[in-house]
Amino acid sequence: MSEEIDFILESTEESMNGSIAHLEKEFLNIRAGKASPAMLGSVFVDYYGSATPLSQVSKISVPDARTITLQPFEKNMLHVIEKAIMIANIGFNPMNNGDMIIISVPPLTEDRRRELAKQAKSEAEDAKIGVRNVRKDANTDIKKLEKEGTSEDVCKSAEEEVQNLTNAYIKKIDELLAAKEAEIMKV
């Protein structure tokens, strides 16, 4: 195959890998019952005038499956961090004991589990759309090469290769979704 086709296939696979990586990152933000520092990944604290990730102003630890503790690096940040968690609207009620912030992670209700599973399904569908858009772009590039004189057989086999990549990545997304749904629905 020509160098252009090899480049198209490589960039297609790279973009599809990007869709998978994004999906995995989104799945980390969907909590599945047990406490995890990733649950606070979307919380930003006003640290001397700039929005700073919570993990950069405090030590986040998980002593047990239902508790998250935050030990601020500066004691005067306790109330600021507490306020930031409330503003983030992630369903947690932080408690301040004067030294650290303790968050009790409530167990998920059946309705909330279904809602989270639906959210996971939506994220997976977005990832599939991303993969299909990459396929469309790759096929458009291959058609351009065919018009520029690349042989029809080479272009056909390249399109088949793009379709095989698409099928593999869609299957991978389905597997990730099934695992996440099982994790969410497990009591």
Side-chain angles (χ1 to χ4, degrees):
M1 277 194 225
S2 69
E3 284 181 30
E4 292 96 349
I5 294 216
D6 287 343
F7 176 74
I8 290 170
L9 292 175
E10 284 174 20
S11 63
T12 299
E13 189 164 8
E14 196 174 306
S15 296
M16 288 180 180
N17 269 327
S19 290
I20 296 285
H22 178 75
L23 177 66
E24 289 171 337
K25 185 173 169 272
E26 290 301 315
F27 276 177
L28 283 178
N29 293 333
I30 299 174
R31 76 180 183 102
K34 64 181 188 195
S36 152
M39 293 176 169
L40 301 172
S42 62
V43 178
F44 285 83
V45 178
D46 180 26
Y47 186 66
Y48 299 109
S50 66
T52 308
L54 187 59
S55 60
Q56 292 182 10
V57 295
S58 68
K59 177 180 171 240
I60 303 172
S61 56
V62 183
D64 61 57
R66 294 264 175 246
T67 312
I68 300 174
T69 59
L70 300 151
Q71 179 76 51
F73 298 135
E74 297 176 29
K75 209 153 193 108
N76 63 337
M77 293 299 293
L78 269 171
H79 294 292
V80 178
I81 291 171
E82 199 171 11
K83 186 177 173 186
I85 293 169
M86 298 290 257
I87 290 171
N89 196 20
I90 49 178
F92 294 140
N93 192 14
M95 294 177 292
N96 174 349
N97 71 2
D99 287 329
M100 63 174 47
I101 295 172
I102 301 164
I103 300 171
S104 292
V105 179
L108 294 172
T109 63
E110 188 63 31
D111 287 343
R112 183 69 178 138
R113 287 179 194 280
R114 281 199 204 95
E115 200 176 294
L116 291 173
K118 212 180 278 183
Q119 183 183 347
K121 207 170 266 173
S122 170
E123 293 295 344
E125 198 51 49
D126 288 348
K128 286 180 183 180
I129 289 169
V131 167
R132 291 181 189 123
N133 285 339
V134 170
R135 174 186 61 191
K136 188 181 93 186
D137 294 344
N139 284 338
T140 303
D141 291 345
I142 291 169
K143 293 257 189 271
K144 277 184 199 164
L145 287 178
E146 193 174 354
K147 286 180 182 170
E148 292 170 5
T150 305
S151 85
E152 194 177 320
D153 290 344
V154 170
C155 290
K156 272 283 181 238
S157 70
E159 284 176 357
E160 285 173 14
E161 183 63 31
V162 168
Q163 185 58 48
N164 290 341
L165 281 173
T166 303
N167 294 343
Y169 280 92
I170 296 285
K171 184 177 181 219
K172 194 171 191 176
I173 290 169
D174 288 335
E175 289 167 359
L176 287 171
L177 174 63
K180 187 63 180 182
E181 282 180 329
E183 183 184 339
I184 290 169
M185 298 312 273
K186 188 174 83 180
V187 179

